[in-house]
Amino acid sequence: MMRLVLVGTSHHHAPVEIRERVALDPTEGAALAARLGEAVCLSTCNRTEIYVAAEDADAAEEQAVAALAALEPDVEQALYRLRDQAAALHLFRVAAGLDSLVPGEGEILGQVR
């Protein structure tokens, strides 16, 4: 059975200095996602999140944490981890602008797309 795993950090959990060090441009995000398998990286000025679809959720989570920690070791203390329905619900909240620094911001939908 495939599981959905989310590992990320945002303005809720990390100061801007840490978020800047784990921010990925679209090319870097695509390369990281390709290394992780069935994955997508969402990286904006206020968040970096990795979504992975995998049968082994624990291994997928470990790999995603390691990938972000390779960019910035101090990020580990600021990471959140969600799975399955909670991860999907979080993504919908992000896309709808409900989890933005400015609630209702519409720009994030284009970044998610």
Side-chain angles (χ1 to χ4, degrees):
M1 177 176 86
M2 292 299 276
R3 306 280 307 274
L4 179 61
V5 175
L6 160 61
V7 174
T9 192
S10 73
H11 59 282
H12 296 297
H13 300 277
V16 68
E17 298 82 21
I18 290 178
R19 293 193 320 266
E20 285 175 345
R21 290 191 287 263
V22 297
L24 303 165
D25 68 32
T27 302
E28 293 169 327
L32 176 58
R35 286 195 309 271
L36 294 174
E38 290 189 54
V40 173
C41 295
L42 173 61
S43 190
T44 70
C45 57
N46 289 316
R47 75 183 63 251
T48 297
E49 297 177 337
I50 300 173
Y51 294 83
V52 183
E55 288 191 21
D56 186 344
D58 292 332
E61 183 177 306
E62 284 180 31
Q63 290 175 335
V65 168
L68 292 176
L71 299 170
E72 170 53 55
D74 290 337
V75 78
E76 281 196 66
Q77 63 190 349
L79 292 177
Y80 45 87
R81 299 158 173 89
L82 299 171
R83 293 190 181 179
D84 303 320
Q85 185 176 349
L89 178 61
H90 176 80
L91 178 59
F92 285 120
R93 289 182 52 78
V94 167
L98 298 175
D99 193 59
S100 295
L101 190 58
V102 178
E105 173 190 14
E107 185 177 327
I108 188 71
L109 180 58
Q111 293 167 324
V112 170
R113 188 177 47 204

